[in-house]
Amino acid sequence: MKQNIQNTKLLLPCLQVLRVYATNSVNAISLGKDGVVELMFKIVGPYSKKNTSLFKVALDALGALLKSKTNARRAVDSGHVSVLLALYLDWHRNDTRHRCMLIRKGLLVCLRNITNIKLGRKAFLEADGMRVLYNSSTECLPVRTLDPLVNTSSLIMRKCFPKNRLPLPTIKSAFHFQLPHVPPGGPVAQLYTQPPGVDDVVDESDNEEAETDTENDEDDKDQCNLNDDIETDLSKLHPKRTIGRPFEELKDYQNFFSELSEDFQGYNFEFSKSPSTTSSPYLFSSSSARFSRPVVVPTAQSPSPKQIPDSQDVCTSVKEHQTLPSPSLTSSQTPLDLDTIHISKDKDKKEDINIPTPARHTAPTSFSGSLSQGQMIEQELSHPLECLSLEDKGNQKAEAGSEKVKHEGSPVNNLRHIQSPLLLGGFPIRRAGGGGSNVGSDCGSEGTEDEGGEGAVLEVPDTAQLLPLHDPDLYVEMVKGTQSVPQYAEVAYPDYFGHVAPMFKEPLLERIYGVQRSKIFQDIERLIHPNDILDKVVYDIDHPSPVIEENGESLKFNSQFESGNLRKAVQVRKYEYDLVLNADINSNHYHQWFYFEVSGMRVGVMYRFNIINCEKSNSQFNYGMQVLMYSVQEAISGRPRWVRTGTDICYYKNHFARSSIATGGQKGKSYYTLTFSISFSHKDDVCYFAYHYPYTYSTLKMHLSKLEAMRTPQIYLRQDVLCETLSGNTCPLLTITAMPESKSSDHICQFRNRPLIFLSARVHPGETNASWVMKGTLEFLMGTSPLAVSLREAYIFKIVPMLNPDGVVNGNHRCSLSGEDLNRQWQNPSPELHPTIYHTKSLLQYLAYIQRAPLVFCDYHGHSRKKNVFMYGCSVKETVWQSSISTTSSDLQEDLGYRTLPKILSQIAPAFSMASSSFVVERSKESTARVVVWREIGVKRSYTMESTLCGCDQGKYKGLQIGTRELEEMGAQFCVALLRLKRLTGLRNHQHLLDLESDIIGTQSKPVSSCTTTYVLEEDEPSFLEAIDYSAESNDEDAEPESDICGEVHENFDQLSDSENNHRD
């Protein structure tokens, strides 16, 4: 070749041989030493209509040679990066008819391979490569056939975009909570032993290894590791009831199970409304002191976690502090101080003011005496609560809202007058459209009402007719007893008004071709045209109260309310904002949940929001999911609801570097951006955005208080305080069953011997859908339908509706205040650091000791990267079948009843997918609730029920995003499935189990995949395995390894083992 460089006829076949030879990395290095790289640059040249075949083959060979890092360095040292850019620009300008696209692509491939090394990226930037490729790509965009050039150029530019640190002083949470003790070696100890400034420095060692091209070499590696996480230790696969604690430690928990020994001798079955066991007050909040620890008033039977003051005195103090609604007060112009809130409703709705307080006393008013407590209950039960199908419920809601009202499409026509905003304490008010937080640093101070304050008066819809469990007055009372680390002093409007699920369908958003690429190009413009960037901080909780000019040029943000999460907002262009989420408290990662307020918007302008510090490598936002928005103006108009919104939504890797401290030592990782655009419809509106439908801890307390008022004499309902959390919030425990028919020994015996069902939810704060499913379950259980009655007569339900109140209150995504994922603490929970898990497990251990282990245990969760609702269970047989271990038939003896409940759900619940369910036990899940309860307590029907955050791709809801109506329906259908399970387990004939056996055998030959990650804290679910054309859209060829096998395992996803990779359950 060296001797015949001008002889094209001889050169071409030599290059063809060389091209094949260079694909081997050893050969490529050897050829590089012999000067072949330099030789290739002599052959390729500027634009010419001659020898195009020769150029094409030469570039293919050069591209193969440059995959070797040694050859890439050699090319950089020889100054060939600028040569390649000049050649590409020359071919781009002259190839006007696009007949030489393969040559242009070959030049880009050479650049792509050179920029896989840090030296190459530096040389590319110095040669002004970003501007060259950006301008040429922009010119190529109108021609669809040139997409391969645009995609490769985009990949190179994203790779070479200088890594930036997040615009934060530290990646630790903006809030700190002092733990009672910090376990040495734990995540919090590691977090706070780091020297200042180290935690968020961009790693200088972000070198060649960090950005190697993984498109060819990762598939085999991942395929080898597919089943590595499956448990293969047979001794761990066979559940053995090992309680591990002496009964002396557990016997106190019998106080939470008084129904197992209750004789009802003091109960009058004819006249009394409630049994003696339910006559004591169950307070979940105390408004007697601002931001003090709530007073825990346990039941007569529940153990006292601390020295409890006399309950009668507590009730008195609470009654004295409760400000009752007064009919004589109309909307005032004074600040809405939650301690002195007065709300008046329309005169024709005066009787609605008769609201049971948390202490279950009816608020006495001058006109409520004519209504008895029984009539109150009758009114509550007149609402459509008991319908099994929430579609029916929705239809009734629609009928209720179809009356002639002032606003078309408004489901609510009763208005409440209230002043904006809602503040705790006497803080300065802001107007309804003001946005921003004026909360002072002394959040605990008491203030007097500002009589001369100017506040906007809102006509608030009275949603009580459609939301039987919602009452704004009661919500305000509950907020007062909620303890937060930032000591929040405001109430978010959506939580106050309530949410009425819209009647219209919300389909999955169809992805526009090229939307992700266009967003990435806009990001690259920031580097090329830095003078166009404003870089103006408009909200920052690390430095409160930034000065915002009242010129209407900037939006105002706020997240200083319960469950809120937004750390910083930076205006980068006139209508574009970068948003940074706060890490979980006592943590430096888990950025996913967001909930914040926006105001000061202009109508008809398209705003772009970029959440720039997401962590997961893929998201359902790429597959049709939209963010949620709540408009205060819409609520005032009679449409108080969260709606799916946003256009141009995509999720992609950005140029902000993740610290190796936050990635478990992995270097070169980047954050991801969730971007969406929205045009606001109302002037002077206040809008809220959320990751999913918010459900706060105060909302739960309000719902539980309202459920108490729904109880009929036939329902046995008891609310206990299981324990206090680290910050002093109470963790409620519910017991629901049917009262015995009489005092006869037979009826009492039947009452005591009902099997137990144990349900829990919301261990992960960001999975708010779990609370909506739980709400559906609780409403059904308290209903009056024949199915609900039968269900209560069949079982005793023990329910912990919120396992992580502190995380929920403080806007965490995954952790509690201990900085740990509570669903990874079940093997050995700490009573000090993980009290809710410790005491919940103790309840189960006590039941195991007295031989009353639950028939079913189910923990409700949400899933961010799969569609539908599905279950994870535990099976020895299915785990063994998916692994390579050899076993005997005796090892596989197993009762197949674990499949019955999900099978029933797949038949009756339209959102449920049996195909997405899995019963494989994985090593990384051995400390989750599901596996521990199965293994240690001996509950064979131990499940995690996962509900999608996105929508469904099968059944009646196929193609639709999921809403609260569908989630609540799922909770109700779970109850119906339990009733069917009761009938099936009562059958002598076990033919249905044999049918299940055949179902399992039919699937055992299908392979299972479980994409593992290298760092446990990085991923908590497997990579999302829906098909998406990354070559055209994301250009993420250097993405996480798990992304590379997406296409291959898509068909096998139905049999995926325990989805949640390393962290999900």
Side-chain angles (χ1 to χ4, degrees):
M1 286 172 60
K2 290 178 180 178
Q3 295 166 2
N4 295 277
I5 201 162
Q6 302 300 327
N7 187 345
T8 56
K9 290 185 177 179
L10 183 62
L11 199 57
L12 183 59
C14 291
L15 284 170
Q16 289 170 332
V17 173
L18 186 70
R19 177 174 61 181
V20 176
Y21 194 58
T23 55
N24 180 286
S25 58
V26 177
N27 294 342
I29 294 171
S30 177
L31 289 168
K33 291 178 181 177
D34 291 336
V36 177
V37 174
E38 286 75 13
L39 182 64
M40 292 296 104
F41 279 102
K42 291 179 182 177
I43 296 171
V44 298
Y47 176 77
S48 170
K49 293 183 179 179
K50 300 178 181 179
N51 302 326
T52 54
S53 298
L54 185 75
F55 284 2
K56 170 68 175 68
V57 178
L59 286 170
D60 287 347
L62 180 59
L65 288 166
L66 291 175
K67 282 190 174 181
S68 158
K69 296 173 189 174
T70 307
N71 290 340
R73 289 191 194 97
R74 192 173 280 117
V76 173
D77 292 341
S78 302
H80 291 317
V81 173
S82 56
V83 172
L84 285 170
L85 283 167
L87 286 172
Y88 177 74
L89 196 55
D90 183 65
W91 282 88
H92 169 76
R93 286 172 176 166
N94 291 293
D95 183 27
T96 53
R97 296 190 177 183
H98 312 306
R99 291 178 176 175
C100 301
M101 197 179 79
L102 292 177
I103 292 177
R104 293 156 69 181
K105 176 71 183 292
L107 288 164
L108 288 175
V109 168
C110 293
L111 282 169
R112 186 192 71 190
N113 291 343
I114 285 181
T115 53
N116 277 339
I117 64 171
K118 187 175 183 179
L119 205 61
R121 296 193 287 274
K122 182 180 178 184
F124 177 84
L125 290 172
E126 289 174 350
D128 203 21
M130 295 289 279
R131 189 181 301 273
V132 170
L133 291 193
Y134 175 80
N135 290 336
S136 62
S137 299
T138 305
E139 293 169 13
C140 291
L141 280 174
V143 185
R144 188 77 173 260
T145 54
L146 298 182
D147 275 354
L149 302 182
V150 177
N151 295 333
T152 309
S153 297
S154 175
L155 169 64
I156 296 168
M157 288 187 286
R158 292 178 67 192
K159 195 190 305 181
C160 297
F161 203 112
K163 292 288 185 184
N164 296 337
R165 67 174 62 186
L166 286 172
L168 296 174
T170 172
I171 56 172
K172 297 172 189 171
S173 173
F175 306 123
H176 173 65
F177 180 81
Q178 185 61 48
L179 297 175
H181 73 273
V182 178
V188 178
Q190 295 173 15
L191 187 70
Y192 290 100
T193 53
Q194 296 294 338
V198 169
D199 63 346
D200 60 345
V201 172
V202 176
D203 295 298
E204 292 300 325
S205 55
D206 176 15
N207 56 16
E208 298 90 328
E209 288 76 17
E211 296 287 349
T212 51
D213 189 349
T214 60
E215 64 178 345
N216 293 322
D217 58 359
E218 292 291 352
D219 284 0
D220 295 337
K221 183 174 75 175
D222 271 5
Q223 291 292 351
C224 294
N225 293 333
L226 276 176
N227 294 334
D228 281 359
D229 195 34
I230 295 179
E231 182 60 74
T232 55
D233 186 344
L234 282 175
S235 64
K236 292 184 177 180
L237 281 177
H238 285 285
K240 298 171 183 175
R241 190 173 292 180
T242 52
I243 298 171
R245 291 177 65 189
F247 186 67
E248 289 299 313
E249 291 183 18
L250 296 171
K251 64 181 181 181
D252 285 344
Y253 289 91
Q254 68 185 350
N255 296 321
F256 290 101
F257 297 96
S258 58
E259 67 277 1
L260 301 182
S261 57
E262 177 63 63
D263 60 9
F264 295 97
Q265 294 309 307
Y267 176 76
N268 188 329
F269 280 87
E270 294 182 8
F271 303 107
S272 179
K273 172 184 180 295
S274 57
S276 58
T277 56
T278 61
S279 59
S280 55
Y282 310 107
L283 283 183
F284 286 97
S285 68
S286 167
S287 56
S288 57
R290 170 56 45 88
F291 296 119
S292 62
R293 295 173 72 82
V295 180
V296 182
V297 184
T299 64
Q301 296 80 21
S302 62
S304 174
K306 301 182 178 179
Q307 187 63 38
I308 303 297
D310 182 73
S311 60
Q312 188 174 354
D313 295 338
V314 172
C315 294
T316 304
S317 67
V318 172
K319 285 167 67 178
E320 287 172 355
H321 265 80
Q322 284 169 340
T323 305
L324 302 175
S326 167
S328 62
L329 287 170
T330 58
S331 55
S332 65
Q333 292 296 315
T334 56
L336 245 186
D337 185 326
L338 290 194
D339 275 348
T340 56
I341 184 167
H342 298 281
I343 297 176
S344 68
K345 307 184 183 183
D346 285 354
K347 293 180 180 179
D348 61 344
K349 295 291 290 181
K350 280 181 180 177
E351 66 273 11
D352 285 349
I353 296 183
N354 189 355
I355 297 164
T357 67
R360 235 188 293 126
H361 298 287
T362 301
T365 61
S366 59
F367 46 81
S368 64
S370 59
L371 280 175
S372 68
Q373 196 169 12
Q375 288 172 314
M376 281 292 297
I377 294 167
E378 190 174 333
Q379 286 182 7
E380 294 286 354
L381 291 174
S382 66
H383 298 299
L385 285 174
E386 290 71 57
C387 308
L388 166 61
S389 168
L390 295 196
E391 273 200 332
D392 297 340
K393 185 191 218 178
N395 292 336
Q396 292 184 41
K397 287 183 180 181
E399 291 167 13
S402 64
E403 303 164 10
K404 298 290 182 184
V405 291
K406 192 159 53 174
H407 302 279
E408 185 179 354
S410 166
V412 184
N413 65 342
N414 293 300
L415 299 177
R416 313 155 60 94
H417 299 283
I418 189 166
Q419 185 206 340
S420 163
L422 302 173
L423 295 178
L424 287 166
F427 300 108
I429 66 164
R430 52 187 170 82
R431 296 179 182 275
S437 172
N438 291 327
V439 178
S441 57
D442 182 16
C443 293
S445 64
E446 293 285 352
T448 57
E449 289 190 4
D450 179 7
E451 295 298 338
E454 294 182 5
V457 177
L458 300 182
E459 287 190 328
V460 182
D462 184 1
T463 55
Q465 60 172 324
L466 298 181
L467 297 174
L469 296 189
H470 188 86
D471 186 275
D473 313 28
L474 189 54
Y475 184 80
V476 168
E477 287 302 314
M478 294 305 176
V479 169
K480 294 177 185 177
T482 296
Q483 312 297 307
S484 63
V485 173
Q487 295 190 329
Y488 290 134
E490 294 185 45
V491 174
Y493 287 109
D495 303 321
Y496 179 80
F497 291 164
H499 161 71
V500 178
M503 300 309 301
F504 50 84
K505 294 178 179 179
E506 296 181 290
L508 294 167
L509 183 69
E510 188 174 346
R511 189 182 180 90
I512 301 170
Y513 180 82
V515 61
Q516 184 162 302
R517 185 175 60 197
S518 67
K519 297 299 179 184
I520 291 166
F521 272 51
Q522 289 176 28
D523 292 348
I524 292 169
E525 285 176 16
R526 298 189 192 186
L527 186 69
I528 297 170
H529 306 296
N531 293 334
D532 296 343
I533 303 304
L534 299 176
D535 204 26
K536 174 184 175 184
V537 177
V538 295
Y539 180 72
D540 189 353
I541 60 176
D542 291 289
H543 304 91
S545 301
V547 178
I548 300 177
E549 304 88 358
E550 295 291 339
N551 55 12
E553 293 300 315
S554 300
L555 294 175
K556 297 175 184 177
F557 294 84
N558 182 32
S559 61
Q560 299 289 301
F561 45 80
E562 187 175 347
S563 295
N565 190 319
L566 178 67
R567 183 170 186 170
K568 189 172 186 177
V570 181
Q571 186 176 14
V572 290
R573 295 185 177 97
K574 187 173 183 179
Y575 300 120
E576 182 178 353
Y577 294 81
D578 280 354
L579 309 178
V580 185
L581 304 182
N582 193 24
D584 285 4
I585 291 177
N586 279 328
S587 168
N588 58 17
H589 55 303
Y590 298 120
H591 309 96
Q592 189 164 330
W593 168 256
F594 58 87
Y595 182 18
F596 57 88
E597 171 194 295
V598 177
S599 60
M601 66 284 290
R602 293 185 177 182
V603 175
V605 171
M606 188 62 72
Y607 289 90
R608 177 183 171 185
F609 297 101
N610 311 305
I611 297 175
I612 61 174
N613 62 334
C614 303
E615 294 171 351
K616 294 186 177 179
S617 60
N618 209 340
S619 167
Q620 282 286 333
F621 285 114
N622 275 337
Y623 308 99
M625 186 163 94
Q626 295 175 281
V627 298
L628 283 151
M629 186 183 81
Y630 192 107
S631 163
V632 173
Q633 291 281 10
E634 285 288 305
I636 294 169
S637 300
R639 295 178 290 276
R641 61 196 179 198
W642 287 97
V643 293
R644 300 277 186 172
T645 192
T647 58
D648 293 351
I649 298 177
C650 52
Y651 186 96
Y652 57 90
K653 183 185 286 189
N654 62 31
H655 57 276
F656 290 103
R658 293 185 66 190
S659 165
S660 61
I661 295 169
T663 60
Q666 287 187 329
K667 296 176 180 178
K669 291 285 185 181
S670 294
Y671 285 104
Y672 290 77
T673 291
L674 161 64
T675 180
F676 61 94
S677 300
I678 186 164
S679 177
F680 296 98
S681 303
H682 301 287
K683 186 182 179 183
D684 294 330
D685 201 357
V686 178
C687 292
Y688 291 78
F689 291 95
Y691 178 67
H692 198 67
Y693 300 93
Y695 190 104
T696 66
Y697 171 62
S698 297
T699 299
L700 172 71
K701 294 191 294 181
M702 174 186 67
H703 284 165
L704 294 183
S705 179
K706 299 289 282 185
L707 280 172
E708 186 86 17
M710 285 171 53
R711 182 181 50 189
T712 65
Q714 290 75 38
I715 300 177
Y716 180 101
L717 168 67
R718 195 174 73 250
Q719 295 186 23
D720 296 316
V721 174
L722 177 63
C723 62
E724 277 197 353
T725 63
L726 286 169
S727 68
N729 292 305
T730 56
C731 179
L733 168 68
L734 275 66
T735 304
I736 301 175
T737 187
M739 290 292 293
E741 291 183 36
S742 71
K743 299 178 185 177
S744 72
S745 58
D746 287 348
H747 287 152
I748 298 295
C749 184
Q750 188 276 338
F751 173 87
R752 293 179 181 176
N753 289 307
R754 293 170 187 164
L756 280 95
I757 304 291
F758 203 107
L759 306 177
S760 62
R762 207 67 186 282
V763 71
H764 294 143
E767 296 167 8
T768 58
N769 46 357
S771 283
W772 289 101
V773 175
M774 179 59 78
K775 178 176 181 282
T777 293
L778 291 173
E779 283 193 53
F780 184 88
L781 283 175
M782 293 299 294
T784 56
S785 70
L787 287 174
V789 172
S790 299
L791 191 63
R792 291 192 297 266
E793 291 172 350
Y795 297 114
I796 296 173
F797 286 86
K798 306 297 284 193
I799 301 174
V800 184
M802 192 172 282
L803 280 167
N804 190 353
D806 286 348
V808 171
V809 168
N810 293 289
N812 283 7
H813 173 64
R814 193 166 190 86
C815 299
S816 69
L817 294 185
S818 68
E820 298 166 296
D821 180 347
L822 290 182
N823 204 34
R824 291 296 178 279
Q825 311 303 324
W826 278 79
Q827 275 187 317
N828 188 28
S830 160
E832 291 84 19
L833 296 178
H834 324 118
T836 60
I837 304 302
Y838 178 84
H839 292 293
T840 303
K841 184 178 180 180
S842 297
L843 293 176
L844 291 159
Q845 288 173 321
Y846 171 78
L847 288 173
Y849 252 123
I850 63 171
Q851 305 297 311
R852 293 294 302 274
L855 177 70
V856 172
F857 171 86
C858 191
D859 192 18
Y860 292 179
H861 282 252
H863 204 292
S864 71
R865 294 210 269 185
K866 284 177 72 176
K867 290 184 170 69
N868 310 313
V869 181
F870 48 93
M871 272 184 162
Y872 297 123
C874 301
S875 163
V876 177
K877 195 173 287 188
E878 297 194 44
T879 304
V880 167
W881 279 338
Q882 302 299 347
S883 66
S884 56
I885 59 176
S886 57
T887 59
T888 63
S889 58
S890 60
D891 291 327
L892 297 181
Q893 294 298 319
E894 183 174 41
D895 186 337
L896 297 175
Y898 67 87
R899 264 188 170 252
T900 313
L901 186 61
K903 189 78 174 178
I904 295 169
L905 282 170
S906 69
Q907 295 167 353
I908 67 172
F912 191 87
S913 169
M914 188 69 177
S916 298
S917 301
S918 172
F919 305 92
V920 175
V921 180
E922 293 175 314
R923 293 190 187 100
S924 60
K925 310 298 185 306
E926 65 179 7
S927 56
T928 61
R930 167 177 59 93
V931 176
V932 169
V933 172
W934 172 71
R935 186 176 286 162
E936 296 183 19
I937 311 299
V939 178
K940 68 181 178 184
R941 294 184 180 88
S942 179
Y943 305 105
T944 299
M945 188 163 75
E946 300 271 4
S947 301
T948 179
L949 292 160
C950 177
C952 297
D953 59 11
Q954 51 89 52
K956 185 170 74 172
Y957 301 132
K958 182 177 182 178
L960 299 178
Q961 296 184 76
I962 203 159
T964 56
R965 179 176 288 106
E966 292 76 33
L967 293 168
E968 290 183 53
E969 176 189 73
M970 189 65 233
Q973 296 286 13
F974 184 82
C975 293
V976 178
L978 289 173
L979 199 54
R980 287 201 185 180
L981 177 70
K982 172 71 173 177
R983 292 164 183 167
L984 285 174
T985 52
L987 294 175
R988 296 292 181 184
N989 182 359
H990 291 284
Q991 180 61 41
H992 63 287
L993 296 181
L994 299 177
D995 295 339
L996 292 169
E997 173 89 39
S998 63
D999 288 345
I1000 301 171
I1001 292 172
T1003 61
Q1004 66 167 310
S1005 60
K1006 298 179 183 178
V1008 124
S1009 63
S1010 171
C1011 305
T1012 57
T1013 53
T1014 51
Y1015 180 50
V1016 156
L1017 291 180
E1018 161 71 4
E1019 295 294 345
D1020 51 9
E1021 299 162 346
S1023 60
F1024 190 76
L1025 304 182
E1026 258 185 60
I1028 186 168
D1029 185 1
Y1030 266 98
S1031 63
E1033 281 291 270
S1034 174
N1035 302 314
D1036 220 352
E1037 294 182 33
D1038 60 333
E1040 267 51 74
E1042 59 263 30
S1043 300
D1044 299 328
I1045 60 169
C1046 291
E1048 296 182 28
V1049 296
H1050 182 50
E1051 293 106 15
N1052 302 327
F1053 196 44
D1054 286 349
Q1055 278 72 41
L1056 247 184
S1057 65
D1058 222 338
S1059 113
E1060 343 98 281
N1061 201 19
N1062 290 332
H1063 257 325
R1064 170 65 47 219
D1065 213 35

